[in-house]
Amino acid sequence: MIETEPSGADTLVVGRPIRKVLGWGVIAAITAAALARASTSEALRLLGLPDPGPLTIYGLPAVMAFGEVAAVMTVGSLLLAAVLVPPQASGVLDVDGYLALRTASVAAAIWAVCAALLVPLTLSDSSGQPLSVVFADPGLFARAISDIDVTTAWAWTAGLALVLAIACRLTLRYSWTPLLLAFALFSLLPRHCRVTPLRVDPTTSPRTVWFCISSRRRFGWEE
């Protein structure tokens, strides 16, 4: 028997998941950017650290908050599809499960984009240099991604979230939803294992590592 998308779902899935994710994401992003404006610039001044520019100062917390919302909606939607909504007798997702899976697909795609954007934003914040400087040397940029744990974690998160988005979009059978939920939870591990901004050793912090790399390149200290 040919599996098809549940009848009646097509008119509901067009735009609804995107509106939900974007709506909550924008609220979170604006709130995070407002809090950054109230605290980050003053903190940089007191610590004597270079200012990476407004795009990084406001963009980093805003994109991170947007990505957090997308990640939460991804896991929540998959939990709904895998646990709370029974499938049809044939094993195909019912309308509610199908909508939850489509929401998870859209949210995971947005999550992947946010994680990818956080790679250069984190490098800019770590180095105290604007994004134009971060992107100026592609070789240095690529090496810094692998040398700094935080950016490596975001790169892995972006890749895993992209795979999850594609898998959610292609799935119609209920039997796959528990696996997708487990994969979504696994996709959270890189950032929680390696993104630890509250307890940073100044000798091994991302900003210190970036300064060492960029200084070697700038002043010709490479062997």
Side-chain angles (χ1 to χ4, degrees):
M1 181 176 59
I2 299 176
E3 296 176 6
T4 59
E5 297 178 353
S7 60
D10 290 339
T11 58
L12 296 175
V13 298
V14 179
R16 175 180 287 187
I18 298 178
R19 288 198 301 271
K20 288 194 291 187
V21 178
L22 291 181
W24 288 107
V26 167
I27 293 174
I30 292 175
T31 303
L35 293 175
R37 180 178 183 180
S39 60
T40 304
S41 297
E42 182 65 15
L44 291 175
R45 186 186 66 81
L46 293 175
L47 292 173
L49 297 174
D51 189 339
L55 187 59
T56 298
I57 289 178
Y58 302 135
L60 179 62
V63 174
M64 187 176 295
F66 208 119
E68 292 287 338
V69 170
V72 168
M73 294 196 72
T74 300
V75 175
S77 298
L78 287 172
L79 180 64
L80 176 65
V83 179
L84 302 178
V85 178
Q88 301 180 43
S90 61
V92 177
L93 290 167
D94 202 356
V95 173
D96 290 335
Y98 176 73
L99 290 175
L101 211 59
R102 278 299 182 86
T103 301
S105 177
V106 173
I110 295 175
W111 180 16
V113 171
C114 290
L117 291 175
L118 283 169
V119 173
L121 285 170
T122 301
L123 288 178
S124 175
D125 179 67
S126 300
S127 65
Q129 301 295 327
L131 288 173
S132 58
V133 176
V134 171
F135 285 117
D137 189 336
L140 179 60
F141 176 74
R143 286 202 304 275
I145 292 176
S146 60
D147 290 340
I148 299 177
D149 285 347
V150 179
T151 53
T152 303
W154 285 127
W156 272 103
T157 300
L160 293 173
L162 179 60
V163 172
L164 180 63
I166 296 173
C168 289
R169 179 62 182 84
L170 298 177
T171 299
L172 289 176
R173 298 197 66 85
Y174 171 80
S175 58
W176 286 98
T177 56
L179 297 177
L180 292 175
L181 175 60
F183 187 80
L185 294 174
F186 174 77
S187 300
L188 298 172
L189 293 180
R191 59 184 183 148
H192 288 298
C193 290
R194 308 185 77 171
V195 179
T196 54
L198 296 181
R199 292 180 294 177
V200 178
D201 181 352
T203 63
T204 59
S205 68
R207 179 162 292 190
T208 303
V209 174
W210 176 269
F211 273 138
C212 292
I213 296 174
S214 59
S215 296
R216 285 166 59 89
R217 185 62 175 267
R218 182 176 302 173
F219 297 107
W221 294 346
E222 293 184 333
E223 296 178 358

